[in-house]
Amino acid sequence: MLERFQHPGQVVVTGFVVAIAIGTLLLWLPAATPGAGSARLLDALFTATSAVCVTGLVTVDTANHWSRFGELVILALIQVGGLGLMTLATLFSVVLSRQFGLRARLAAQAETKALQMADIRLFVRRVVLFTLTCEALVAAVLTGQFALGYGEPFARAVYLGIFHAVSAFNNAGFALWPDSLVRFAADPWISLTICAAVIMGGLGFPVIFELARSWRRPRSWSILTRVTVGTSAVLLAGGTLVLAVAEWTNPATLGALSGPSRVLAGFTAAVMPRTAGFNNLDIAAMRPESRLATDVLMFIGGGSAGTAGGIKVTTFALLGFVLWAELRGESRVNIGHRRLPESTLRQTIAIVLLSIGVVTAATLTLLAITDHALDLVLFEAVSAFATVGLSTGITADLPPAAHLLLIALMFIGRIGPLTLGTALALRERTRRYELPEQHSIVG
């Protein structure tokens, strides 16, 4: 069937639109709210989009505005949005592999362990099994802590554990407390467990499965795995250091905690901008430099073919390698003992520039239709586009036009990088002639 899809991006757009439409209708039902009547259609649409796009931005408090039925609908939309995107990303890799010649396909398979058509069913089963296993393990730990550490009834603890395990692994960021995870900022069982789920979900399945096969042989890792693991580690370490230093004496965030708890909370705060969306600190009370650092972390996001959003750590790292090669005067971009093709570099630059353009245009629009300061609306725009879900608290107060803009940003941010990357790869053509060169002044 995959041969019939000349434009795979259409499959993604259609699937997400259908899922959002169904979720909106379900959340619009009277049964989705605890009181009489139904939720506002805009609130239902915003929440359904946020759940399917695994973002976490909300216009209403999840725990108090929605009934148990509404929460279960949100949970199902998160699972469909997260698992569905990863499955589609896997299928697209197969579609792309069939567009190239035999020699190129064999070389790509040896380098990336790419799937063949016969392997799709097995790989998808592995993806689903791994997802459910990780979510079950995280839910078990969270359930135990909620029941033993906080005295929740067992049934309630199980429900809380499952909901937040699915939300964390899929990098959705929906929480069933008004302050998200602020009350658990000093609890290592809750914080580190959710951080582990966020990181695992955000690495991407190609990387996870390759690490499972050859974690003892780093030299045999593909470029994707090397770049994803290395860049993720640097961003987590650097983000923790920047946020901890900036907020260490801030009494409204880390300053109120003990020394070890400050380190824990700083690390958690650095993990969440990978597009998880849980906030363990009051974002509105953060210092401007911390919010700017969070903007950068959100925009970069997590790994490819995973639950995370953003432009992806691989895209960010490839730009760094391009810069390094240019500074050294090299005509080719090399990573380890492999050379990156020029088509990949062009696609990287296109994705970054288009993403910057979308965020800039959205920020300008929000400034025009709201009265909030630049740093607040920029934070909101980046969070929506990168499908993070962190907010300074202004989401619910924005006008309907701004809510519609954020809905569009979440949708574009979720399907944009994948569909754009696929479209650029499928449009790759070999020109049978070359035009004469003419240099231009740069800089």
Side-chain angles (χ1 to χ4, degrees):
M1 293 181 61
L2 290 175
E3 298 93 327
R4 302 177 184 177
F5 296 127
Q6 298 298 319
H7 301 285
Q10 296 175 357
V11 181
V12 179
V13 174
T14 302
F16 272 73
V17 168
V18 170
I20 290 171
I22 294 175
T24 300
L25 292 177
L26 291 175
L27 292 176
W28 200 27
L29 294 174
T33 53
S38 304
R40 287 196 317 158
L41 180 59
L42 184 57
D43 289 333
L45 174 62
F46 192 99
T47 304
T49 304
S50 184
V52 172
C53 297
V54 290
T55 304
L57 282 176
V58 292
T59 55
V60 294
D61 179 41
T62 304
N64 296 321
H65 187 82
W66 304 108
S67 65
R68 182 61 57 87
F69 171 76
E71 292 174 0
L72 291 175
V73 169
I74 293 172
L75 186 66
L77 293 176
I78 291 172
Q79 189 73 85
V80 168
L83 187 58
L85 180 73
M86 292 180 290
T87 303
L88 286 172
T90 300
L91 298 181
F92 282 2
S93 67
V94 181
V95 173
L96 294 179
S97 70
R98 296 176 66 86
Q99 304 298 316
F100 307 122
L102 177 61
R103 182 177 299 178
R105 286 168 55 189
L106 290 176
Q109 182 186 9
E111 173 66 21
T112 65
K113 312 297 189 298
L115 294 173
Q116 296 300 311
M117 295 298 290
D119 298 329
I120 294 178
R121 192 172 301 173
L122 174 61
F123 191 87
V124 170
R125 282 203 298 265
R126 291 174 63 193
V127 167
V128 174
L129 179 61
F130 180 81
T131 298
L132 297 180
T133 301
C134 286
E135 291 174 350
L137 292 175
V138 173
V141 175
L142 294 179
T143 297
Q145 183 64 1
F146 289 141
L148 301 177
Y150 296 92
E152 294 282 357
F154 183 72
R156 173 69 175 170
V158 170
Y159 177 69
L160 292 174
I162 294 175
F163 188 97
H164 293 91
V166 173
S167 184
F169 183 82
N170 289 283
N171 280 224
F174 279 87
L176 296 181
W177 297 279
D179 62 352
S180 191
L181 300 183
V182 172
R183 65 187 65 192
F184 305 114
D187 187 335
W189 284 100
I190 301 294
S191 297
L192 292 180
T193 301
I194 288 182
C195 284
V198 168
I199 293 172
M200 291 296 290
L203 281 176
F205 281 103
V207 173
I208 291 173
F209 290 157
E210 184 172 356
L211 289 176
R213 290 192 305 267
S214 56
W215 63 275
R216 294 182 178 180
R217 303 187 304 276
R219 293 186 177 182
S220 67
W221 292 356
S222 66
I223 288 179
L224 174 64
T225 299
R226 293 183 184 183
V227 170
T228 300
V229 173
T231 309
S232 297
V234 170
L235 290 174
L236 287 176
T240 302
L241 179 63
V242 171
L243 293 177
V245 170
E247 299 296 322
W248 194 265
T249 58
N250 186 348
T253 54
L254 296 183
L257 303 174
S258 64
S261 296
R262 293 183 192 183
V263 176
L264 171 65
F267 172 74
T268 305
V271 171
M272 296 311 158
R274 288 180 60 86
T275 75
F278 297 105
N279 63 288
N280 66 323
L281 301 175
D282 185 359
I283 303 296
M286 279 185 170
R287 288 171 174 157
E289 56 268 33
S290 298
R291 286 203 292 267
L292 180 58
T294 304
D295 285 336
V296 174
L297 293 174
M298 291 192 299
F299 187 75
I300 296 172
S304 301
T307 59
I311 63 170
K312 310 299 184 186
V313 294
T314 48
T315 305
F316 174 73
L318 291 183
L319 285 179
F321 283 108
V322 171
L323 177 61
W324 179 244
E326 189 64 27
L327 291 176
R328 297 183 63 181
E330 298 179 352
S331 59
R332 302 293 183 182
V333 179
N334 303 317
I335 300 179
H337 300 289
R338 294 292 185 271
R339 175 174 58 85
L340 287 179
E342 292 184 1
S343 59
T344 300
L345 302 179
R346 292 197 303 268
Q347 293 162 23
T348 298
I349 295 172
I351 289 174
V352 172
L353 291 179
L354 286 173
S355 299
I356 293 174
V358 169
V359 171
T360 301
T363 302
L364 288 172
T365 305
L366 288 174
L367 284 173
I369 63 178
T370 68
D371 297 326
H372 295 291
L374 172 61
D375 63 332
L376 300 184
V377 297
L378 174 63
F379 194 97
E380 204 79 7
V382 174
S383 181
F385 175 78
T387 68
V388 179
L390 292 175
S391 176
T392 57
I394 67 172
T395 310
D397 299 329
L398 295 175
H403 288 160
L404 292 174
L405 177 59
L406 292 180
I407 289 172
L409 276 177
M410 290 187 287
F411 187 78
I412 293 171
R414 195 56 183 157
I415 68 171
L418 176 62
T419 54
L420 178 59
T422 303
L424 291 174
L426 289 176
R427 286 176 59 86
E428 183 71 20
R429 296 185 178 93
T430 301
R431 186 183 291 270
R432 298 183 181 276
Y433 62 91
E434 293 291 340
L435 296 174
E437 284 189 352
Q438 181 175 1
H439 293 281
S440 175
I441 297 176
V442 177

